[in-house]
Amino acid sequence: MAETHVETVRVQQTDEPVSSPWRDAWRTLRKNKLAIVGFIIIFVFVLLALLAPYITPYEYDKGELINKNKPPSAEHWFGTDYNGRDVFTRVIYGAQISLRVGLFSVIGSVIVGTFLGLLAGYYGRWVDMIISRLFDIMLAFPSILLAIAIVAMLGPSLENALLAIAIVNIPTYGRLVRSRVLSLKEEEFVMAAKAIGSKNSRIILHHILPNSLAPIIVTGTLGIATAILEAAALGFLGLGAQPPQPEWGLMLSDSRQYIQKAPWTVIFPGLSIMLTVLCFNLIGDGLRDALDPRMKH
């Protein structure tokens, strides 16, 4: 009887799902309704951006002056702009630009910032001093002003705006990773890896970096929202995307003089920026609650 009971307990234990920090985080995230709403709306934006050529019969860079500043209708859902171009078409094509700039600029910032933060935090001494002083110098300037200065030197274009946004956000991720490394390298599992003779590169890549991913993911998600805002600001100032590209900030800049005559030309790009930024912030907050053990009850 005792053996049968032991075997039953073993079967029950085997049938239970294996728990892990990432699986627990996913369960927590699924319970966050605001984060799920954010995911759904961003998914819709991504889907519209990918299917833009098939959704609308119009071209984003061509219009008819006879139809300029037409209000929203069954033919033009978001109306037309001062050049007779369909605003809905330009908004969904603009999603391609804004999401691409937000995603790739953050990826660039995360890669470079994480690399520098790992070096500064793990090796310390003069390496830490040089990298930290570089971060301090960059953080001494407001990010948007530094981005404007970089684009002004490189020349106005969407690619240069993306590069500038990536550069100005490097210190954010670098300092985050550095602080994480400083605490992790004193942990017992890192000490044990050093004691058995593991190489520094292996310790960094296999022990420290995986345990630093949670704050990087959260900050990166929130950083996409910031990058989209910065891209829109550069576009509004004429330093980002150039006409006739349908970038949301550029659309606001081009249509601001028609805000009373044709307010829809400003409202819909502005709402797109607001909604996208809000959704990424909701997702970032949800990820923070799911990945931070201190937020769990």
Side-chain angles (χ1 to χ4, degrees):
M1 292 293 292
E3 293 180 358
T4 305
H5 177 69
V6 171
E7 290 179 358
T8 303
V9 171
R10 287 176 180 174
V11 171
Q12 290 176 350
Q13 290 177 347
T14 305
D15 292 340
E16 292 179 357
V18 180
S19 179
S20 70
W22 293 104
R23 185 171 295 176
D24 293 341
W26 170 241
R27 292 196 190 102
T28 304
L29 183 62
R30 285 189 302 176
K31 297 177 184 178
N32 191 318
K33 295 181 180 179
L34 289 177
I36 296 301
V37 169
F39 271 115
I40 292 173
I41 295 176
I42 292 300
F43 176 76
V44 171
F45 269 107
V46 171
L47 197 62
L48 288 173
L50 293 175
L51 299 178
Y54 309 101
I55 293 176
T56 174
Y58 305 103
E59 297 182 36
Y60 70 83
D61 57 346
K62 295 181 180 179
E64 298 178 355
L65 290 177
I66 193 174
N67 290 325
K68 69 177 183 178
N69 291 334
K70 293 286 185 180
S73 63
E75 185 179 2
H76 300 283
W77 293 356
F78 290 178
T80 60
D81 65 5
Y82 63 96
N83 277 329
R85 297 172 297 194
D86 184 66
V87 175
F88 175 73
T89 300
R90 290 179 62 77
V91 166
I92 62 175
Y93 272 98
Q96 295 180 349
I97 296 175
S98 293
L99 292 174
R100 185 170 72 247
V101 170
L103 181 62
F104 285 107
S105 63
V106 166
I107 289 175
S109 299
V110 167
I111 291 174
V112 178
T114 299
F115 175 73
L116 295 176
L118 288 171
L119 292 180
Y122 188 80
Y123 290 102
R125 299 183 180 179
W126 64 269
V127 177
D128 185 20
M129 184 185 67
I130 293 175
I131 294 176
S132 296
R133 295 298 78 75
L134 176 63
F135 289 163
D136 291 340
I137 292 171
M138 295 178 68
L139 291 171
F141 300 92
S143 59
I144 189 63
L145 292 182
L146 184 57
I148 290 173
I150 294 172
V151 175
M153 289 188 294
L154 298 177
S157 72
L158 182 63
E159 292 74 17
N160 291 339
L162 191 155
L163 180 62
I165 294 169
I167 291 173
V168 300
N169 289 308
I170 287 174
T172 301
Y173 303 99
R175 295 185 70 176
L176 173 68
V177 174
R178 174 185 175 274
S179 63
R180 184 69 176 159
V181 173
L182 288 174
S183 62
L184 285 173
K185 73 177 185 179
E186 303 299 330
E187 296 288 340
E188 292 181 358
F189 64 91
V190 176
M191 295 295 186
K194 290 181 178 179
I196 63 175
S198 296
K199 295 181 179 178
N200 289 332
S201 58
R202 180 174 178 81
I203 294 173
I204 291 172
L205 295 177
H206 292 271
H207 298 286
I208 293 179
L209 181 59
N211 287 282
S212 304
L213 288 178
I216 294 174
I217 292 172
V218 174
T219 307
T221 305
L222 296 171
I224 295 176
T226 303
I228 290 174
L229 276 177
E230 290 173 344
L234 291 174
F236 186 85
L237 296 173
L239 296 173
Q242 299 298 303
Q245 289 179 308
E247 197 273 326
W248 291 337
L250 180 61
M251 291 175 67
L252 291 176
S253 177
D254 290 343
S255 302
R256 67 183 186 274
Q257 57 184 319
Y258 302 100
I259 191 170
Q260 293 183 333
K261 184 178 181 181
W264 53 87
T265 60
V266 176
I267 290 174
F268 291 112
L271 284 176
S272 299
I273 296 172
M274 183 199 73
L275 195 58
T276 306
V277 171
L278 175 62
C279 288
F280 275 114
N281 283 332
L282 292 176
I283 294 171
D285 289 340
L287 288 172
R288 181 197 60 196
D289 296 342
L291 294 173
D292 189 349
R294 295 170 298 181
M295 302 297 293
K296 298 179 182 178
H297 302 287

